[in-house]
Amino acid sequence: MSARELEEAVTEAGLPKFRARQLWRWVWRHGLTSFDEMSDLGKPVRAQFADMFSLGRPAVTQRLKSSDGTIKWLLRFADGSEAETVYIPDRHRGTLCISSQVGCTLTCSFCHTGTQKLVRNLTAGEICGQVLLAMDELGDWPAGKPERRLTNIVLMGMGEPLFNYDNVAKAMRIVMSGEGVGLSKRRITLSTSGVVPEIARAGADLGVNLAISLHAVRDDLRDELVPINRKYPLAELIEACRNYPGLSNARRITWEYVMLDGVNDSDEDCAALLKLIRGIPSKINLIPFNPWPGSPYECSGNNRIEAFAAKVLKAGYASPVRTPRGRDILAACGQLKSASERDRRHRTGTGKTASVAAADAT
Ligand code: SAH
Ligand code: SF4
């Protein structure tokens, strides 16, 4: 519930408005999951709230911890569908990578999530539930304490956030609320494959940082790698980015560029990339391709990535290569969920998806 929806529900139940504010703080600032612990509410009010609302968390199906500190949770929601959330600690920040959908309707050819059949939007509650669950497990309550471990959120998990705009926007407004988790918009980054009509809306409404899954700088290649390009080609995407509200040197667009051996990693690609984004305040994020069983690509070699990165660096963009994290716990997009489905299928001996069949063959 948004703050306003909560207030309406509380006043409709005949309670004064300030009760909504008390409840909000218990939930979003203190992370309580039981009405009984809400010490400034009388017993009758607690009982009334318990009748009206439920306070829960997604169930943790798997919890994996990498030797580098990355934690990955496979979460199960009330209807049994699953999605992944990953916590990536760094020296000066801790980033939570959250999912916006179960699976993804898009089929980017290098992405494992795109091979998963089941797709639905996550609700705002399920999106926030990932943040609450992580804060529980990281010991981050009450929200906003100086030594907090979760400092940033990236919408880079499963799904295309701009295909689930309303729920994503509602969830981000909740976690940005100063009365609750209180994360600033500057600490939230939304990654999109390029749903052009929603980009301006996200900028104007939410003002979060924008990351674009670019991956190719020619329409023919991007049509293949990121098929939404057929609908919204590069020229339209770049134009929408150029017009993204509030861009400055302090607030730049992140261009995600997955390094695929012999596919998009030549010097010509690099030069075309630099030309394409010229004049837009930008960060370039070169992502070593994280292979998955049956994936049709290989990661570019280290020398190639370094040569590409050197050109990017020379053009004035700092530290462009993303360090792979959590490789030992299948931390790349969609991998844990697929592994869990595979286990289940092996146990039950039922039909396999194409990617699973390919995995078995390798
Ligand atoms: N759907 C959104 C957000 C989720 S994907 C989007 O596409 O932007 C987050 C990032 O991970 C995207 O840049 C995506 O292209 C990248 N990605 C997906 N699979 C990958 C893989 N196997 N190796 C490296 N990066 C991958
Ligand atoms: Fe979906 Fe993003 Fe994966 Fe493409 S890269 S299939 S948009 S999750």
Side-chain angles (χ1 to χ4, degrees), residues 65-190:
K65 200 161 178 189
S66 164
S67 52
D68 68 16
T70 301
I71 307 173
K72 180 157 181 159
W73 296 276
L74 182 62
L75 301 179
R76 183 174 294 156
F77 301 104
D79 69 343
S81 47
E82 292 177 321
E84 302 169 356
T85 304
V86 183
Y87 174 71
I88 308 143
D90 248 318
R91 232 180 311 162
H92 302 297
R93 65 175 170 212
T95 304
L96 191 71
C97 176
I98 61 179
S99 294
S100 56
Q101 298 183 305
V102 173
C104 186
T105 49
L106 297 172
T107 51
C108 301
S109 53
F110 54 88
C111 172
H112 209 191
T113 301
T115 66
Q116 293 169 8
K117 292 250 163 64
L118 187 70
V119 180
R120 76 163 171 86
N121 282 336
L122 290 177
T123 64
E126 289 165 338
I127 297 168
C128 289
Q130 299 170 62
V131 178
L132 293 171
L133 186 273
M135 290 178 69
D136 289 351
E137 300 230 342
L138 296 168
D140 258 1
W141 303 112
K145 56 183 183 181
E147 68 276 22
R148 69 193 194 273
R149 293 173 72 196
L150 194 168
T151 64
N152 292 63
I153 288 180
V154 293
L155 281 148
M156 290 187 188
M158 301 171 70
E160 170 47 60
L162 294 187
F163 277 168
N164 186 17
Y165 184 81
D166 291 341
N167 290 323
V168 166
K170 185 173 173 181
M172 291 306 104
R173 281 199 198 95
I174 291 173
V175 299
M176 287 192 280
S177 152
E179 295 277 294
V181 175
L183 269 189
S184 129
K185 62 184 181 183
R186 306 206 177 280
R187 293 185 172 274
I188 299 176
T189 301
L190 183 151

Side-chain angles (χ1 to χ4, degrees), residues 104 106 108 110-113 155-161 191-194 211-215 256-258 287-292 322 332-333 335:
C104 186
L106 297 172
C108 301
F110 54 88
C111 172
H112 209 191
T113 301
L155 281 148
M156 290 187 188
M158 301 171 70
E160 170 47 60
S191 173
T192 178
S193 56
I212 301 287
S213 292
L214 189 63
H215 308 316
E256 295 164 281
Y257 197 90
V258 65
I287 313 174
F289 171 62
N290 213 332
W292 34 276
R322 187 186 289 180
C333 197
Q335 290 190 345

Side-chain angles (χ1 to χ4, degrees), residues 109 112 115 117 291-297 338 342 345-346 351-362:
S109 53
H112 209 191
T115 66
K117 292 250 163 64
W292 34 276
S295 57
Y297 304 104
S338 287
R342 188 157 60 236
R345 274 191 208 97
H346 277 172
K352 296 171 184 179
T353 62
S355 69
V356 171
D360 290 346
T362 52

